[in-house]
Amino acid sequence: MKVKRFTAANMQQALRLVSQELGADAVILSSKKVSVGFEVVAALDYQPGHEQDRPEIERQLRLQQELEDARSASREPQPALKKRDERYEERMAFAGQGDLSSKESLSAVLSGLKNDDFSRSNTVTPARSPAPEETGRSAAEDAMLQRRVEQGEERYNSVIQQMSGELRDLKDWMVSHQGSAWDTRRPLTWQQSQLWQRCQDVGLEAAWADRVASRIDGDVPLEDAWNKALKLIASDLPVAPNGLLDRGGIYALVGPTGAGKTTTIGKLAAQFVIRHGAESVALITLDNYRVAAHDQLRTFSRILGVALHVVPVNGDLNKVLDSVRDKKLVLVDSAGLASQDPHFSVQLSMLKQAGARLKKLLVLPLTSQGRCLQENYEHFKAAGLAGCVFTKLDECFSLGPAISISALTQLPVTLVTDGPHIPDDVHYPDADKLVKLAEQMARMARTRWQAAEAMSFATQHSSIQHGV
């Protein structure tokens, strides 16, 4: 183990001396401010926690101090030598400034040196730098010393840059480890990372949450920033114009089994019949693949008094649509088939062949997981979707996944259903209300978890007290 004390005008120079003398593996044992600057004690090959090394450290520091005191005493000139050196400098300066061009002036200079008359001269000796030979070092030694200093500075700068990079990486990890999952090279501020986490609690997709959080400045309080984030979320959520139940049109509802397609068609048909009469509505079904698939829709048509048309397997949907072109509202019910079903591609082809006059609406049940909703969109987007319908709002506990699908795919929300009652439980969407409801659901879920955790802790504590 090697221990050494370093003294410099500032801490940066002291650390540079440590790096030059002991290398990058040196350990700083102590540092303090002294009269001449800063004093740093460093050690090489030091093992922390070994108390038996303390006497050795003190011994080396004491020897170093004695050596420095001896060197200082040896460098201090004796009074006689110091006085002689001063006279020598004065003589050299007097001789150098004298006029030696003539015999008379040379004699005057020599007489002055002999009689010490030069000491009364008013000439000011200019300061000069000592020559290499006066300092006892050669030019080669000076050049080598200069190279060593430059190499030490380069190594010190390299270590500083490495430390700066590591500190930067640590800061990015601490700030944006959970804040910027989609762009780790761009760290988020603390406030932005908090907003990102709140977006995750709401249920937003990580990519959308990162985009929303990165657009909020950090100069406002957290709650104000969160309100701005909610407005950004609402502005990113596309919503179709209201008026479907007044304008009419030709619509096909597509989606997985149990999404609520047939029930939604019954609600729309009932409201349109109430406003415009039964003769203005026609129902069409493509579901010929399940037993009793037509029963519910046939019941709706009988109660409402509207016509029901069934497209046979491998039939022509366009012909059926042409037969009902005089109707103001035409609703097409499709079969909820899995993408692996061989009939799925047949039904998808029929919907595509109908062209742009048939607007396809993707029915998204809000009780499904986000990944399931995303897969549903991927399966049906080839049909040319014009919008989406949110169903089962009364049964869901998180709106984030569904609104993420709509926002990221720019698929407008056309209708929202929130119950089984016909014809009441169908509404036009409002982006601000949907986002506010999504936040309320997240807060309620968080409150429930906190209450459950508190109850679990209380139960465990009670069991410990009773020795269970």
Side-chain angles (χ1 to χ4, degrees), residues 117 124 172 188 408:
D117 292 338
V124 179
D172 295 348
L188 299 178
L408 295 177

Side-chain angles (χ1 to χ4, degrees), residues 312-328:
V313 178
N314 298 325
D316 191 348
L317 177 59
N318 284 318
K319 288 185 178 181
V320 179
L321 293 177
D322 291 337
S323 65
V324 295
R325 59 178 176 269
D326 59 326
K327 304 295 183 180
K328 191 172 183 179

Side-chain angles (χ1 to χ4, degrees), residues 247-263:
R247 296 190 308 268
I250 305 175
Y251 295 92
L253 271 62
V254 299
T257 303
K261 300 185 294 297
T262 306
T263 305

